[in-house]
Amino acid sequence: MLDESLLDAPERLTEADRRGLLRGAAEAGARVRTAARHAAEAGVGNLKPDGRPRAVLIAGPGAAATHAADLLGTLAGAGSPVTRLAPTGVAPAAGALRWELPGWAGSVDLLLIATPDGAEPGLSLLAEQAYRRGCTVVAVAPARSPLNDAVSASRGLFIPMATAPYDHDEPLAGAAPGVLWALLTPLLALLDRTGLLEAPPEAVGKVADRLDRVAERCGPAIVTYSNPAKTLASELAESLPVVWTEGTSAGPAGRRFAAALAELSGTPAVVADLPEALAAHSALLAGRLAAGADPDDFFRDRVEEPAALHARVVLLRDRPIGGLTAAPNARDLALGHDTPISELEPEAGGELETLAELIAITDFAAVYLALASGA
């Protein structure tokens, strides 16, 4: 059950935020600026690559590395494949995870290691393996971590992760807002230097500014009726979020939102891109999850009887390709099955800015849902 009264009680929200999730979301812009400074101090801006890498391989544990790979792959496009190296092991623990380079990886490829821990032996072994193969290695991890020594021994580039004091109070969630931007920002600066994507310092600065503006709109002191993140969290209470995305940038934002809902609040969600989502989820909305599937729900005792789980569509949109949009058909499908729909569309701006806004609002919503549901 969602405690909606908690959403408009900033002091209680702060007390409930034992993992520093709200602080991470609110300080995302500052984290971007710090991470950009760390990248500059590490010498990223002075790099003179001998051309674009054939492929970019990304390794790291958990959701943060997965989302970074998804975002970078989307921004880079088809010009240079971005591949996440999935770990193997018997448990999601630092000492149990192992990564392997694909057989074709060699001197024309770039290995990026992104981790909020840096103590994983498997990543240190991967850096050594890449050095033997001739791959260029760049790592982002906490300073003074074992990975720092391994990357230095492999003649790679190590960039200290932008951390905050409260990061060490509780185990970091992979989907935590601060973690993503701390790992992603230096990699954006690096791939800008290689020519794989456009993320010059001024564009990164605009991302930080956009994140600050979202924090002002979605912060804990802003009441629910004028706070898009609190409103979305309230709408998703006791619902199955069906996340539909439209536009290149909205895809990774939607996938991250679904992952954050699961990891932070324990809320399952399904996600798909328009227009394929209309066919993929048509049967789902026509079944028992539709709001109109239970005609007796109107007479349910709201105190004694738990609410049935019903779908709610969340439409994330950002500049559909070619100006063609499936949004009208998406609304017709949802409302035709008595399924409510929430929509988010960023303000105009560059691709990085609009992507950052979608991620930031949905991050805040996932955090509010987690805190208000006692997760």
Side-chain angles (χ1 to χ4, degrees), residues 61 87-99 115 117-125 146:
T88 58
V90 297
L97 297 176
R98 293 292 181 271
W99 289 262
T115 172
D117 188 335
E120 302 91 347
L123 289 176
S124 296
L125 293 173

Side-chain angles (χ1 to χ4, degrees), residues 232 235-237 239-243 285 289 310-314 339-342:
L232 181 57
E235 291 171 345
L236 293 181
S239 298
L240 173 69
V242 179
V243 183
L285 297 186
L289 291 172
H310 294 308
R312 184 181 189 97
V313 171
V314 180
T339 300
I341 184 169
S342 304

Side-chain angles (χ1 to χ4, degrees), residues 144-172:
R144 296 183 296 277
S145 62
L147 184 61
N148 189 347
D149 296 332
V151 171
S152 298
S154 302
R155 298 187 180 182
L157 175 63
F158 182 86
I159 304 172
M161 175 183 168
T163 58
Y166 57 82
D167 285 345
H168 308 290
D169 295 342
E170 295 283 343
L172 284 173

Side-chain angles (χ1 to χ4, degrees), residues 83 92 113 122 139 163 202 218 239 284 289 294 299 315 328 352 360:
T83 303
I113 299 176
T163 58
E202 55 271 21
C218 299
S239 298
L284 184 153
L289 291 172
D294 183 7
F299 302 100
L315 178 57
L352 279 174

Side-chain angles (χ1 to χ4, degrees), residues 198-252:
E198 292 186 9
E202 55 271 21
V204 174
K206 290 181 180 179
V207 167
D209 293 340
R210 181 70 65 102
L211 292 172
D212 287 344
R213 291 200 296 273
V214 172
E216 292 173 358
R217 294 168 53 205
C218 299
I222 307 302
V223 295
T224 299
Y225 69 83
S226 59
N227 186 321
K230 287 183 179 180
T231 298
L232 181 57
S234 179
E235 291 171 345
L236 293 181
E238 301 175 12
S239 298
L240 173 69
V242 179
V243 183
W244 290 347
T245 67
E246 184 173 61
T248 303
S249 298

Side-chain angles (χ1 to χ4, degrees), residues 50 191 223:
D50 296 329
L191 295 189
V223 295

Side-chain angles (χ1 to χ4, degrees), residues 266-340:
T267 302
V270 294
V271 59
D273 299 329
L274 292 176
E276 289 88 350
L278 302 181
H281 293 160
S282 178
L284 184 153
L285 297 186
R288 58 184 177 84
L289 291 172
D294 183 7
D296 297 326
D297 183 69
F298 179 81
F299 302 100
R300 175 175 59 84
D301 187 318
R302 304 290 167 177
V303 176
E304 299 295 335
E305 299 179 39
L309 185 67
H310 294 308
R312 184 181 189 97
V313 171
V314 180
L315 178 57
L316 305 181
R317 303 181 63 212
D318 183 27
R319 292 180 300 191
I321 298 174
L324 300 175
T325 176
N329 288 332
R331 298 184 189 101
D332 290 344
L333 177 62
L335 299 178
H337 291 298
D338 296 322
T339 300

